[in-house]
């Protein structure tokens, strides 16, 4: 999945193992208890998403994909 590409543990989110209810509860409790961590994750997460998923970045990625595909196609 793309989650680890977007989320860095304790930097832009919290990552817990799948199907580990205890780890999930611990992460939620940590976030509830640490306002500074919550705030920092929110700020850094928004910054990362805005930088990676703005129209200019996505538009250029699409141009690059189509250009590569056109150049690879037999003439």
């Amino acid at each position: 999945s793309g989650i680890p590409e977007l989320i860095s543990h304790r930097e832009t989110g919290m990552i817990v193992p799948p199907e580990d209810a205890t780890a999930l509860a611990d992460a939620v409790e940590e976030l509830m208890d640490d306002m500074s961590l919550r705030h920092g994750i929110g700020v850094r997460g928004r910054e990362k998403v805005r930088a990676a998923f703005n129209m200019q970045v996505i538009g250029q990625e699409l141009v690059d994909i189509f250009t590569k595909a056109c150049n690879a196609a037999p003439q």
Side-chain angles (χ1 to χ4, degrees), residues 29-42 44:
E29 185 174 0
E30 182 176 9
L31 288 169
M32 289 173 55
D33 292 341
D34 191 337
M35 184 170 70
S36 177
L37 179 62
R38 281 193 318 269
H39 177 75
I41 285 173
R44 289 184 300 272

Side-chain angles (χ1 to χ4, degrees), residues 52-75:
F53 297 103
N54 66 60
M55 291 301 273
Q56 290 78 22
V57 170
I58 292 174
Q60 186 59 55
E61 288 176 357
L62 287 172
V63 167
D64 294 345
I65 289 168
F66 289 127
T67 300
K68 187 175 180 179
C70 289
N71 291 337
Q75 300 296 325

